[in-house]
Amino acid sequence: MKNLEELKIMRERVKKDLQLRAGKHRVKIVVGMGSCGIAAGARETMNEFLNLIEKSNKTDIIVTASGCFGFCAQEPMIHIYVEEKKPVTYRNVDTEAAQEIFNNHILNGKIVEKYLFSKGKE
Amino acid sequence: MKNIADHLFDIFENSVNAAADEVIIRIAFSDNIFYCSISDNGIGIAGDEVLDPFVTSRTTRKVGLGLPLLKKAAEDTGGYLRIKRINQDGGTNLEFEMNMSHIDAKPFGDLPQTFTDIYFAWPEIDLKIYIINDCKKDKVLDFYEIREDERKGLSNSIKNRRKILSIMQEEMKKLNIE
């Protein structure tokens, strides 16, 4: 530690790091919400995930939406991004599938092959 | 698209894709006529071609059905759908009217749920909802204010989900929308 200036710079850096961490989530669920997804019931899927998160009392999981993934016949589709792991895409995710994926993949890290679309692709 | 709630969520996504960060929805319902107007501050549209199902700006597939489907649903009941650019800088206004007593009218679906879905699906969008009743316009929800509470730590997303749901259920009840 040399002077006040350096201390200030250090303080700013630590503050930024802290913000980054606070805004970070362990798991991000992205639900495809194009016209195709919505018509196939993607809103029910998203709400099922929100309910499951609420029930499990987890605060490090977020749900967001994206547009059409480009495989409309297999909607509702979701991407799951688990921290430090490659993203996984699921297809035909109805509420039942959502429960299975939440309990196995998100809580326990086991991929549910039944609804698997692809692994490791963006 | 089974109901109006689905349609509303679907066309809301157009505003998101147009890089809007503020969207205003106005709703009215009287004498069985449902009116809805959606204005955003996105990049705006070039012309009427958005109503053509075979025109889309998207690259993932070649047809765009959201707007044409809603237009059809509105016109089937004797209503209309209009979409226009707000000014040179951009912005889009879309309005539609449906006669809900018409035999071909789609059910409302769960409209309050649609608004909570929007709140979660697109956290970067500030949505303001107005209800028009007896020539009066009341702002019933402002997502910016609700998120501000969350940022300050006064509330959390689960509490806010319930809050939005109960406010909108109340408002829809007042309008006799079910």
Side-chain angles (χ1 to χ4, degrees):
Chain A
M1 207 84 53
K2 277 154 200 160
N3 54 38
L4 198 63
E5 277 314 304
E6 255 179 79
L7 202 67
K8 271 185 187 160
I9 294 168
M10 212 176 187
R11 180 171 171 267
E12 282 310 312
R13 204 185 60 220
V14 173
K15 224 164 112 185
K16 256 187 206 156
D17 280 355
L18 214 67
Q19 274 170 352
L20 260 180
R21 250 178 292 158
K24 227 174 167 184
H25 295 271
R26 191 181 66 87
V27 182
K28 187 165 105 177
I29 306 168
V30 181
V31 185
M33 290 273 190
S35 305
C36 47
I38 297 162
R43 282 178 49 217
E44 281 92 358
T45 304
M46 187 174 84
N47 276 298
E48 187 63 31
F49 277 116
L50 290 171
N51 289 336
L52 288 166
I53 293 167
E54 192 181 338
K55 260 186 237 157
S56 69
N57 283 325
K58 296 270 179 195
T59 51
D60 55 353
I61 305 169
I62 55 165
V63 181
T64 61
S66 83
C68 168
F69 292 171
F71 303 94
C72 307
Q74 310 205 42
E75 294 281 356
M77 294 181 82
I78 59 164
H79 292 310
I80 294 184
Y81 298 86
V82 180
E83 208 179 35
E84 285 160 9
K85 286 205 178 118
K86 284 180 178 168
V88 176
T89 307
Y90 287 105
R91 60 180 168 76
N92 301 114
V93 185
D94 53 13
T95 48
E96 214 172 286
Q99 286 166 9
E100 225 170 294
I101 291 165
F102 188 83
N103 291 330
N104 289 305
H105 187 157
I106 294 168
L107 296 182
N108 296 314
K110 270 186 279 176
I111 288 172
V112 184
E113 299 284 341
K114 200 160 93 187
Y115 304 105
L116 187 66
F117 180 78
S118 69
K119 270 186 272 191
K121 278 181 208 146
E122 274 296 310
Chain B
M1 305 290 153
K2 287 188 210 113
N3 51 45
I4 296 170
D6 281 347
H7 275 298
L8 208 59
F9 190 87
D10 181 32
I11 47 172
F12 192 87
E13 198 218 349
N14 292 342
S15 298
V16 179
N17 288 341
D21 56 13
E22 191 184 84
V23 182
I24 297 169
I25 294 183
R26 297 180 188 87
I27 290 172
F29 184 57
S30 67
D31 296 331
N32 284 318
I33 303 291
F34 177 70
Y35 168 85
C36 180
S37 148
I38 301 167
S39 305
D40 70 46
N41 63 350
I43 51 173
I45 54 162
D48 267 349
E49 81 276 356
V50 286
L51 297 173
D52 181 340
F54 298 104
V55 170
T56 179
S57 59
R58 180 192 316 100
T59 50
T60 47
R61 58 177 146 83
K62 286 196 180 106
V63 291
L65 289 171
L67 276 170
L69 280 174
L70 178 59
K71 187 168 190 271
K72 175 86 168 60
E75 286 173 355
D76 278 352
T77 72
Y80 65 84
L81 179 142
R82 280 195 285 261
I83 183 163
K84 61 175 192 278
R85 200 183 174 91
I86 293 172
N87 58 38
Q88 272 190 330
D89 300 330
T92 306
N93 171 261
L94 178 147
E95 49 182 4
F96 65 90
E97 222 173 79
M98 283 185 198
N99 179 357
M100 300 307 288
S101 63
H102 195 283
I103 192 156
D104 286 330
K106 286 188 184 178
F108 277 115
D110 196 343
L111 283 175
Q113 183 77 64
T114 298
F115 297 110
T116 55
D117 290 356
I118 290 172
Y119 183 81
F120 277 94
W122 296 291
E124 65 283 1
I125 308 274
D126 290 326
L127 170 66
K128 294 177 174 64
I129 301 166
Y130 288 86
I131 304 279
I132 309 166
N133 205 354
D134 296 333
C135 298
K136 274 196 313 233
K137 202 173 75 177
D138 288 318
K139 185 161 88 173
V140 294
L141 259 183
D142 187 334
F143 281 14
Y144 180 80
E145 287 167 12
I146 294 177
R147 288 209 174 90
E148 198 59 27
D149 285 350
E150 221 172 290
R151 276 189 282 265
K152 284 181 193 154
L154 296 171
S155 182
N156 59 40
S157 58
I158 291 166
K159 272 191 210 159
N160 281 340
R161 188 177 170 212
R162 299 215 181 289
K163 187 177 168 187
I164 296 168
L165 210 56
S166 72
I167 291 175
M168 288 316 294
Q169 276 164 350
E170 182 95 339
E171 292 299 327
M172 295 296 116
K173 213 190 239 172
K174 276 192 227 161
L175 284 176
N176 286 320
I177 291 179
E178 52 204 341

